[in-house]
Amino acid sequence: MTLCIGLTGGIGCGKSTVAGLFAEHGAAIIDTDTIAHRLTQAGGAAIPEIRKAFGNDYLTADDALDRAKMRGLVFSDMAAKHRLEKIMHPLILGQAKAQLQRMHSEPYIIIVVPLLPDSPSFRQLVQRILVVDCESSTQIERVIARSGMTAPEVLAIIAQQAPRTERLQLADDVIHNDAGLPRLAEQVAILHGRYLAMQNNI
Ligand SMILES: Nc1ncnc2c1ncn2[C@@H]1O[C@H](COP(=O)(O)OP(=O)(O)OP(=O)(O)O)[C@@H](O)[C@H]1O
Ligand SMILES: [Mg+2]
């Protein structure tokens, strides 16, 4: 069995950056955001169910998910958010499992799952949980710099995600990401050594 680590954290905490650093050490990466994106592209496997649940209003002319429009809806409508998640989560889980089954030669696998705190099925899939954590002021600053979102928009997303304390309670390992990139790389290098040792002991 290959050691599989679930990497999670709030918006802009640094999940993708950390996954990139682990990849430099040779870890295999599965990214559920990428999977979700693919499922909702034109011709994606989620499109028929999205059409059934939401009608054509939330699809573009070429039959992809209209992301901006759907984002607007799920922000203001919790029932719609849950309806979308009920479609997406099982499909994402299925694809992640399929990718896992194809991996054999990697030393260990990092699976990036922002929704991990809300998903018992994903928690069952992994042997360890790694949380990338930072202050919400850092999150807001970095997301604004990255995407040009406003502070209230970032705060609204943070409010929709699992609370920081809840995430940290699930963590086997924590990476603190309030300092710069060199400090982040150091923490990843230490964890890489630990994960290699664990893999050898499985
Ligand atoms: N230690 C750091 N120092 C400076 N900038 C950082 C650091 N860590 C991450 N960043 C930057 O902050 C932004 C958010 O990081 P990243 O995209 O890795 O977060 P994420 O958790 O994947 O976000 P999302 O939830 O939106 O997928 C990026 O622009 C990234 O380059
Ligand atoms: Mg990311």
Side-chain angles (χ1 to χ4, degrees):
M1 191 174 71
T2 309
L3 175 65
C4 184
I5 294 130
L7 169 57
T8 195
I11 179 171
C13 281
K15 297 176 295 294
S16 300
T17 309
V18 166
L21 290 166
F22 274 109
E24 285 177 23
H25 286 283
I29 311 294
I30 296 176
D31 185 338
T32 57
D33 279 341
T34 309
I35 293 174
H37 210 268
R38 211 176 306 132
L39 286 167
T40 52
Q41 279 173 345
I47 298 297
E49 283 189 62
I50 291 175
R51 174 179 288 110
K52 220 188 300 167
F54 296 95
N56 280 321
D57 287 357
Y58 292 90
L59 301 177
T60 62
D62 65 348
D63 242 12
L65 176 66
D66 187 332
R67 287 170 215 291
K69 206 166 169 191
M70 183 58 86
R71 211 177 296 129
L73 176 69
V74 299
F75 261 151
S76 54
D77 184 341
M78 278 311 264
K81 181 171 185 268
H82 288 140
R83 220 182 322 149
L84 181 66
E85 285 171 351
K86 234 176 123 183
I87 296 170
M88 293 303 296
H89 288 189
L91 289 171
I92 295 171
L93 186 69
Q95 299 264 321
K97 282 182 176 168
Q99 287 190 24
L100 270 174
Q101 271 165 8
R102 287 197 294 270
M103 292 175 173
H104 295 295
S105 54
E106 289 76 9
Y108 61 92
I109 297 160
I110 300 276
I111 170 158
V112 188
V113 194
L115 54 80
L116 194 103
D118 306 314
S119 171
S121 333
F122 264 109
R123 291 209 298 277
Q124 256 176 25
L125 198 66
V126 302
Q127 282 92 55
R128 275 183 98 72
I129 294 178
L130 166 58
V131 171
V132 194
D133 182 62
C134 67
E135 296 295 332
S136 55
S137 53
T138 310
Q139 267 178 291
I140 294 165
E141 217 171 85
R142 287 184 183 152
V143 174
I144 289 175
R146 181 185 63 184
S147 62
M149 282 169 96
T150 65
E153 283 168 341
V154 185
L155 277 167
I157 295 176
I158 292 175
Q160 278 196 341
Q161 296 184 329
R164 188 179 176 192
T165 47
E166 192 182 303
R167 253 193 320 265
L168 287 170
Q169 273 166 15
L170 295 172
D172 297 294
D173 307 302
V174 178
I175 287 182
H176 301 282
N177 191 21
D178 282 292
L181 290 172
R183 195 57 207 104
L184 192 64
E186 267 170 43
Q187 295 174 79
V188 170
I190 291 169
L191 281 171
H192 169 67
R194 288 204 200 130
Y195 293 155
L196 279 186
M198 282 177 203
Q199 174 61 48
N200 291 335
N201 288 327
I202 278 183

